[in-house]
Amino acid sequence: MTPPNLGGGNVVANTIKAGTAMVDGVLAVGVKRVAMLSSIGADKPSGNGPIAGLHQIENLYTQLTGVQTRFLRAGYFYLNFYNNIPLIKSAGIIGSNFPGDVKMPMVHTDDIANIAAEELLLQTTGVRYVTSDVQTPSTAANVLGNAIQIPTLPWIPFTDEQMVGGMTQAGIPLDIAEMYTEMGRGMGDGSIAADFFASGAEVAGKVRLEAFAKQFAEKYHG
């Protein structure tokens, strides 16, 4: 797993550097089987925000010989919705810079863990998409809203400028805010999830949105 390195400098370059170190470690100790947590949109080299780093890291593993690598391209994390809790409490809305009607592969981290463990025991290689549900943001707003007793909770699509402004006002550096805004834009135009849908990948996880909504409600009221 190579999370984005948000330290100083170029985030994507930092992440690729960390991924390169992991690849070097795999070679140094003779690891023969790797399950790499990647992301939807990692098939694209750009236009996907921090996911661009995972694209490059996938390429590094692909070039290895004698190592079986399975790329687990995860959907949009349910946990990202936790970031909207302050907005819901202050403004009674939930949203991001993508429209409410775009179909999005989503995933629970429990499903990622279970599928990663499963894949480590198999001999498969290549890409496997890891998702728990496919829903639109508007549906997510409705399900989460019902769970927290706000059945009319609306999904509000923000402009890129509003997205960047909101993040920078919250103290997020401009370059990072712009990078995540780019990712949101890719979610909105369908480019990030395009290969998932084109591949006909199954929804392999078990934690549906309604189940996560119970956890969301606990966090919201906690």
Side-chain angles (χ1 to χ4, degrees):
M1 181 172 65
T2 315
N5 184 337
L6 302 181
N10 185 292
V11 172
V12 170
N14 289 346
T15 302
I16 295 171
K17 182 178 180 180
T20 301
M22 291 183 182
V23 170
D24 291 344
V26 165
L27 290 175
V29 301
V31 171
K32 299 301 181 184
R33 176 70 180 159
V34 172
M36 176 200 161
L37 178 58
S38 187
S39 171
I40 57 170
D43 57 298
K44 302 182 182 304
S46 61
N48 48 8
I51 302 171
L54 296 174
H55 171 85
Q56 298 297 333
I57 296 169
E58 281 194 14
N59 287 342
L60 291 173
Y61 278 107
T62 299
Q63 295 168 20
L64 297 181
T65 57
V67 180
Q68 289 184 321
T69 303
R70 186 67 151 166
F71 302 113
L72 305 180
R73 291 184 181 169
Y76 183 85
F77 279 28
Y78 288 145
L79 301 187
N80 289 335
F81 288 121
Y82 287 153
N83 296 329
N84 281 270
I85 288 178
L87 182 63
I88 297 172
K89 290 187 173 182
S90 64
I93 62 174
I94 184 173
S96 190
N97 68 321
F98 41 84
D101 60 355
V102 62
K103 289 186 177 180
M104 292 174 51
M106 302 178 183
V107 71
H108 195 288
T109 50
D110 286 353
D111 283 331
I112 294 174
N114 290 332
I115 290 173
E118 172 188 312
E119 285 292 344
L120 284 170
L121 299 176
L122 300 176
Q123 302 301 311
T124 50
T125 58
V127 172
R128 179 177 180 181
Y129 281 99
V130 183
T131 56
S132 304
D133 212 339
V134 177
Q135 298 287 355
T136 66
S138 290
T139 298
N142 179 259
V143 171
L144 299 178
N146 282 324
I148 59 175
Q149 290 80 52
I150 308 178
T152 58
L153 181 67
W155 179 270
I156 303 298
F158 305 137
T159 66
D160 289 352
E161 292 74 17
Q162 289 171 328
M163 190 74 173
V164 171
M167 285 192 283
T168 53
Q169 287 176 19
I172 296 174
L174 177 61
D175 58 336
I176 294 177
E178 291 177 337
M179 180 182 63
Y180 278 92
T181 297
E182 179 183 71
M183 182 175 69
R185 190 162 56 246
M187 296 296 296
D189 65 21
S191 60
I192 285 180
D195 188 68
F196 167 81
F197 290 112
S199 69
E202 66 174 348
V203 175
K206 298 179 179 179
V207 185
R208 300 294 181 256
L209 178 61
E210 289 78 5
F212 167 71
K214 298 177 181 178
Q215 298 177 6
F216 185 85
E218 292 176 359
K219 184 79 169 179
Y220 182 87
H221 294 297

